[in-house]
Amino acid sequence: MKVLMVCLGNICRSPLAEGILKHKFRKKNIDGYVDSAGTAAYHAGEYPDPRSMEIAERHGIDISDQRARKFDPEDFDRFDRIFAMDRSNYQNILAQARKPSDRQKVDLIMNMAYPGENMQVPDPYYGGDQGFQNVYKMLDLACDKIAAQAGKSISP
Ligand code: 4NP
């Protein structure tokens, strides 16, 4: 399963989501591909936010090799699932869909853990460390569900 995680800047939430899901795929021996992008380009080329790198590191996950990039409509061709962190990212991605099958790939990531609730992963950029801890916990839960689903889809 090829999964793209999308937030606004691609420096706080989606790099964490990418790192967490890659880690779970590796642990479970799932043959998947994970990447992340931002709907805005203003941090393109940058490292993840130091606070995201730190909380990932605390959980044994190294995300320092990631660099921010902007979401591209061709990502609809490259990925099976596209997960948005909040409703604004979600609407932005949908607005770039070219056909119905593009739209079907997109969902809010927390709907994997709480189906139909449309819960958002809050933007932690202007907050403190607590915000990043909260984001980590939410993404860890959602990524558990994604990994469980990906594991099933490759089993006979
Ligand atoms: P992210 O967080 O979307 O989780 O990467 C943000 C990063 C930067 C900004 C906003 C959100 N910013 O306004 O620069």
Side-chain angles (χ1 to χ4, degrees):
M1 178 153 85
K2 293 182 201 156
V3 179
L4 182 68
M5 305 294 194
V6 182
C7 62
L8 176 62
N10 191 207
I11 56 167
C12 296
R13 291 165 292 177
S14 60
L16 260 183
E18 175 187 336
I20 293 168
L21 188 61
K22 275 181 174 163
H23 187 72
K24 292 187 191 297
F25 276 3
R26 240 188 331 266
K27 267 202 320 207
K28 290 170 172 268
N29 249 326
I30 292 169
D31 182 23
Y33 176 76
V34 190
D35 193 12
S36 63
T39 55
Y42 36 67
H43 291 285
E46 292 181 17
Y47 289 91
D49 188 287
R51 296 165 294 179
S52 283
M53 290 202 275
E54 202 227 350
I55 192 134
E57 194 62 49
R58 261 191 265 163
H59 292 86
I61 301 173
D62 182 2
I63 61 168
S64 63
D65 61 330
Q66 295 185 34
R67 299 294 178 271
R69 73 167 177 92
K70 188 176 187 296
F71 176 82
D72 187 285
E74 286 189 5
D75 286 322
F76 288 115
D77 300 323
R78 297 187 194 111
F79 295 93
D80 305 308
R81 300 301 317 270
I82 297 172
F83 290 116
M85 300 296 129
D86 63 34
R87 285 182 209 133
S88 162
N89 317 143
Y90 179 74
Q91 293 301 341
N92 189 304
I93 299 163
L94 279 191
Q96 299 180 65
R98 304 149 307 173
K99 49 186 194 273
S101 61
D102 287 351
R103 300 174 67 90
Q104 280 164 16
K105 295 182 176 185
V106 190
D107 200 358
L108 283 167
I109 189 169
M110 291 315 295
N111 278 341
M112 295 300 290
Y114 305 105
E117 291 194 18
N118 294 334
M119 186 186 288
Q120 310 190 78
V121 181
D123 181 352
Y125 189 63
Y126 293 105
D129 196 51
Q130 191 63 43
F132 282 81
Q133 288 180 39
N134 180 47
V135 164
Y136 188 94
K137 247 174 52 187
M138 294 178 81
L139 292 177
D140 190 52
L141 183 66
C143 288
D144 269 339
K145 307 291 181 188
I146 298 169
Q149 216 183 65
K152 260 186 246 156
S153 65
I154 58 163
S155 302

